[in-house]
Amino acid sequence: MDSDPIGSFFLHKPIVLNSFPEDTNHPKWKHSPHNNMDSIARAKYTIPFQVNFSCSPNDRDSSPPPHHSRTEMDFFSDDNNNNNNKKEDKGSTSASDHRHSATLPTLEFEVNTGLNLLTTNTSSDQSMVDDETSPNSEDKRAKDEVKIDRYLAVVQAELERMKRENQTLRDSLDQINANYNALHMHFMSLMQQQKAAEVEEQEVLGGKLEGNKGESAGVLVPRQFMDLGLATNADTDEPSSSSGGRSQDRSASPSAEVASKEVGTSKNGNVNDEGDDGEDNPSGGHAHAGDKVPRLSPSKNNVDQAEATMRKARVSVRARSEAPMITDGCQWRKYGQKMAKGNPCPRAYYRCTMATACPVRKQVQRCAEDRTILVTTYEGNHNHPLPPAAVAMAQTTSSAAKMLLSGSMSSADGLMNANFLARTLLPCSSSMATISASAPFPTVTLDLTQSPNPLQFPRHPNQLQIPLQGVPQNFANSPASFMPQIFGQALYNQSKFSGLQTSHDADPSQFGNNSQQLPSHVTDTVSAAIAADPNFTAALAAAITSIIDGAQQRNNSNNTNNNGNMTASTSNGNTSNAKQ
DNA sequence: CGTGTTTGACCTGCGC
DNA sequence: GCGCAGGTCAAACACG
């Protein structure tokens, strides 16, 4: 195929051109008195002219071709026309039943082009010589026709093969779409059931929410893992009462502020009064990012004390990377570095700088066991629009954190919730997500190290497995053998997209202008899901979007075979990421 | 000069 | 109460 001139048709390298060297090297050519040989030989580097001037029979019939080719073209005009007619007939029949009727005629045109030129050139070769020496031009012509027929057969066989391949791809795409729709419907129905159960539960336990929040939180955990209202509230308050007392003062206040804003944008109102607590600092309610508010002041009530026991949820992503930091679509500023115990690699602390008061921070540290693994731990929620490259990651991290916080009072509950979540959302998967609320912080760990190659998308995109692992030491035995590369893709894409993020983050609509877009029905359904329930499931929806998008990118890449920068466009940016 | 990084100091929670 | 570890600050420094 590589040396097959027919193959070169599909690469838009007309076979004529490949045949030229032979002709031009021929002694007859070299000694030919015709000066236009040089022009023809040169013409192999000017493909468009070959196509335009000599390929079209119409051109040949109607308008006089350029002088340099006129001589040759006129030589066997009859034969050329005949051949053209033959080939056009065959080409038309083969193209008529093809699905892509819009593209195949062009292909046929290309085929005719090459063959005509070949015929012409060969004939020209013959003619120029025959005029002087050989009288058996008829035989040569017959041989040429046999050659042409052979080429045509090859071309048509190739066309058939491409048609079959195209059909296979279409079938695969249909299957993927069908599976996705089924999964989506299943997901939505389960979401509705879950909401109904939550409503019932809240009606029963509503009083407890007021009086004893911590206790109620523990009770509600198993059924509220998707309730972002509570989850967000928990998130709103937990950061303020989390880990370091200092950190509460500085980082938690903005977190609370942001979280409260996000709560306002989320679907449901606050079940409890904690939405205000996010703003209500014990000192009297000045919730400025710079304020250092003692979280555990004695004036706190039981709710605050209960919250004091809660910890800041985090989402940790493990990925193989040689880079010092994974580019995840956001801009970060390093504000500290410490040597952590038990790890010779220092831990770097970063703060999101895409917005002035963005509370999101992340820690980056290499794994002690395998230093090729970069562990990035995210904390907090962005309070600004995100570039598409960061949407999937941000949604998932924040939503996973919310989900985790909703059940963070008990690691067992968290695990149960995670497993139930995984079963709910990923019915096809056998590997359950595990989310740990273990010390020091409730953490969701996404292990991407099992599938480092972003180009290897899941063979069955409808089957998702998310190895959410809370216990790092379980990574080695992780069933995360086929993480759908939600984040892997995002991470790799983000590294390419980071240069665009600042200019696009303010206008999510622009995200959809990427070269790779989802089918409208996919984006609609995913967007609807996200809009309806801005929680962890939304993140999964975004993940599904990313996967489908990635699959599309691969298909496009395979079809076009010319765009190596398939990662330049990621995705699902047109989903409302700011509201989660 | 603005921005980002480095690094020592500081603060806090937690365990003993 | 003390020490340790995690987390953060902010001055100094580097860089474009």
Side-chain angles (χ1 to χ4, degrees), chain A residues 194 197-198 200-202 204-209 212-225 230 310 405-410 413-414 416-417:
Chain A
Q194 184 67 26
E198 289 169 6
E200 281 185 322
E201 190 72 23
Q202 290 176 8
V204 173
L205 301 175
K208 293 182 181 179
L209 287 175
N212 193 349
K213 187 161 297 178
E215 183 180 348
S216 63
V219 173
L220 291 176
V221 162
R223 296 191 183 185
Q224 280 190 334
F225 67 93
L230 289 177
M310 301 180 74
L405 284 171
S406 70
S408 61
M409 295 306 292
S410 166
D413 289 339
M416 184 184 72
N417 290 343

Side-chain angles (χ1 to χ4, degrees), chain A residues 180-475:
Chain A
Y180 168 77
N181 290 332
L183 178 62
H184 180 70
M185 294 301 296
H186 184 64
F187 157 67
M188 295 301 290
S189 64
L190 287 172
M191 284 293 298
Q192 291 180 353
Q193 295 175 9
Q194 184 67 26
K195 285 179 186 174
E198 289 169 6
V199 170
E200 281 185 322
E201 190 72 23
Q202 290 176 8
E203 288 176 355
V204 173
L205 301 175
K208 293 182 181 179
L209 287 175
E210 292 289 333
N212 193 349
K213 187 161 297 178
E215 183 180 348
S216 63
V219 173
L220 291 176
V221 162
R223 296 191 183 185
Q224 280 190 334
F225 67 93
M226 285 182 184
D227 189 339
L228 282 199
L230 289 177
T232 309
N233 291 331
D235 189 22
T236 302
D237 297 330
E238 283 162 7
S240 61
S241 61
S242 65
S243 64
R246 279 271 308 287
S247 62
Q248 307 149 356
D249 301 343
R250 296 174 188 138
S251 64
S253 291
S255 296
E257 183 177 287
V258 172
S260 63
K261 290 177 182 177
E262 292 177 352
V263 169
T265 60
S266 63
K267 53 166 184 170
N268 52 357
N270 298 331
V271 177
N272 49 28
D273 55 351
E274 296 304 309
D276 294 335
D277 276 340
E279 298 287 336
D280 291 342
N281 295 323
S283 59
H286 54 284
H288 189 272
D291 291 342
K292 298 183 179 181
V293 180
R295 288 299 188 156
L296 303 178
S297 62
S299 63
K300 286 282 187 180
N301 55 17
N302 293 335
V303 174
D304 294 327
Q305 292 178 0
E307 291 165 358
T309 63
M310 301 180 74
R311 294 155 294 181
K312 187 181 294 183
R314 296 177 177 178
V315 178
S316 181
V317 177
R318 290 166 54 93
R320 293 189 185 278
S321 175
E322 298 298 329
M325 185 177 70
I326 291 174
T327 304
D328 48 17
C330 290
Q331 292 176 335
W332 304 93
R333 179 181 176 273
K334 189 177 184 179
Y335 67 89
Q337 179 170 312
K338 287 275 290 189
M339 292 298 298
K341 190 179 180 181
N343 193 335
C345 302
R347 176 184 301 165
Y349 298 89
Y350 294 89
R351 184 175 293 154
C352 179
T353 59
M354 293 189 72
T356 54
C358 182
V360 176
R361 300 179 185 198
K362 76 172 181 181
Q363 302 174 6
V364 179
Q365 187 175 31
R366 292 210 170 271
C367 182
E369 290 78 13
D370 186 356
R371 300 194 181 187
T372 63
I373 297 176
L374 203 62
V375 181
T376 306
T377 303
Y378 295 88
E379 175 183 317
N381 298 316
H382 293 280
N383 62 351
H384 52 84
L386 292 172
V391 168
M393 174 66 76
Q395 281 187 339
T396 302
T397 54
S398 62
S399 299
K402 290 173 184 175
M403 180 195 71
L404 184 59
L405 284 171
S406 70
S408 61
M409 295 306 292
S410 166
S411 61
D413 289 339
L415 287 172
M416 184 184 72
N417 290 343
N419 290 338
F420 182 71
L421 174 79
R423 288 191 181 94
T424 301
L425 300 179
L426 311 173
C428 301
S429 65
S430 59
S431 175
M432 291 303 105
T434 59
I435 299 174
S436 174
S438 60
F441 302 101
T443 303
V444 181
T445 301
L446 310 175
D447 193 351
L448 310 182
T449 60
Q450 300 295 324
S451 54
N453 188 354
L455 298 179
Q456 291 176 357
F457 271 76
R459 290 177 177 84
H460 304 288
N462 55 314
Q463 294 182 356
L464 307 181
Q465 288 194 352
I466 296 182
L468 303 176
Q469 299 176 339
V471 186
Q473 53 264 34
N474 289 341
F475 288 147

